[in-house]
Each structure stands twice: as structure tokens, then as C-alpha cells.
Amino acid sequence: MKNILVFIDSYNDVDHILPILHYLYRYKDVNISIMNTSVLGVEEYSDKIKYIQNELHIDISQFYDHLNYYAIVVRNYNKLQKRVYMHKDKALFLPLIAFLSWTWPLVLFFLKLSMKNFFQSLNPDIIMLDLGKERRIPGRAVVNLANDTGIPVIGYAHGYFLYTNTEPFVKNKVKLSLPKKLLKRITHL
């Protein structure tokens, strides 16, 4: 039996992973654990969380509860990062953006140190997280630590309906009008 560790952060993460969790629960012999990395908690999407816990029998735990004393720093960094990047176009926030950029490697280092213990206790064979989460805290630290320990990371598509296309890497050709074909040819010379 494989251990799968899933990271969720927001309502749409739960929406996107729910069909995958349902499939794994019904048809595969796996043990699934879910880590909630949201600083707000999971109360905002309680109906789906109840389904995951009661029907699929999957435990959801708060990511920051598994960290040691670095959790306070990481949680506050994450809150500040989310708030600052919502207003990144305002000049007032430029010093904070510079501060966040400068402290990013330090926060990643401490987060990886803190995560090693609970990675060993959970012993995941596969880690899953929403695509795009690997660019932020704590997703970047999760991917880095998984790479260091040889654990494969699977990113599930964000905003992609699961049954839309059975071959997601094959795109349909779009037929361009004559002016667009000419413009494309001119710009690619």
C-alpha cells in the first residue's frame, strides 16, 4: 500500500483534488493523508471537507501544527506574502516586496529543516499538490525536500476539468483567419 500525501491550500484546491481522491479511494489500495497549508483553515469549505473525512475516511491535518517553533515565522511570512502580492502594483509595497525577496531563501531553509521530521513520520511514497503552489511557501519547500529525499511529486491541474481531455498534452489545432495567419507569419520571420 502506497502512502500519498496531498497538500491543499484553498477552496479550488479541494474542488480539483476531490475527483482524484474519490477515484483513489474507490479503485486503488492507497493510504491518503491531507495537509492543509491554508493560514485561514478549512472552515470556509466545510461541506467538501466533511465529505472527504466522513465518506472517504481521509484525515486532514493542519500543516503548521506539524512544524516546530519555525511555524510562527513561516505562517506570518505566508500571511505577509499573500497580502503584499495582492497590492504589488502600489509603490508603497515595494520595500516589503524587497524584504520578502531577501528573506525567501532563509524561510525556505528553516521550513525544510522543520518539515524533515514530519516527512519521516508520514513516510509518503508520493506527494501531490496543485500546480502553481510549488512557486510559493510552503510548496517550494515541499518540492525541494521531496527532491532531496527522492519522493515523486505530482502536480494536479489547477482549473482543469478532470474529464475534459483524455490526452491533456495534445491540443486541438485552432484555425486562424487569413489576417491572423499573415500576422503570425510576419511576426515569426
Side-chain angles (χ1 to χ4, degrees), residues 115-171:
M115 287 173 38
K116 281 185 182 181
N117 292 335
F118 90 80
F119 255 51
Q120 289 172 351
S121 66
L122 290 173
N123 194 23
D125 296 312
I126 298 171
I127 294 174
M128 295 181 72
L129 63 136
D130 194 24
L131 287 175
K133 301 293 185 201
E134 74 280 358
R135 296 179 298 147
R136 297 190 330 222
I137 298 282
R140 174 66 59 93
V142 168
V143 171
N144 288 349
L145 189 57
N147 287 338
D148 292 348
T149 56
I151 300 170
V153 178
I154 298 173
Y156 53 93
H158 179 86
Y160 177 76
F161 183 61
L162 190 60
Y163 303 106
T164 300
N165 185 3
T166 56
E167 296 180 52
F169 298 110
V170 177
K171 285 186 152 183

Side-chain angles (χ1 to χ4, degrees), residues 171-184:
K171 285 186 152 183
N172 294 335
K173 292 273 184 178
V174 176
K175 294 184 180 182
L176 298 175
S177 64
L178 183 61
K180 287 185 181 178
K181 283 181 186 178
L182 293 173
L183 183 63
K184 182 178 177 185

Side-chain angles (χ1 to χ4, degrees), residues 20-30 51 55-56:
I20 298 169
L21 292 176
H22 183 78
Y23 173 81
L24 292 171
Y25 175 77
R26 294 266 188 223
Y27 302 110
K28 301 295 180 182
D29 187 25
V30 294
Y51 176 80
E55 300 296 323
L56 302 181

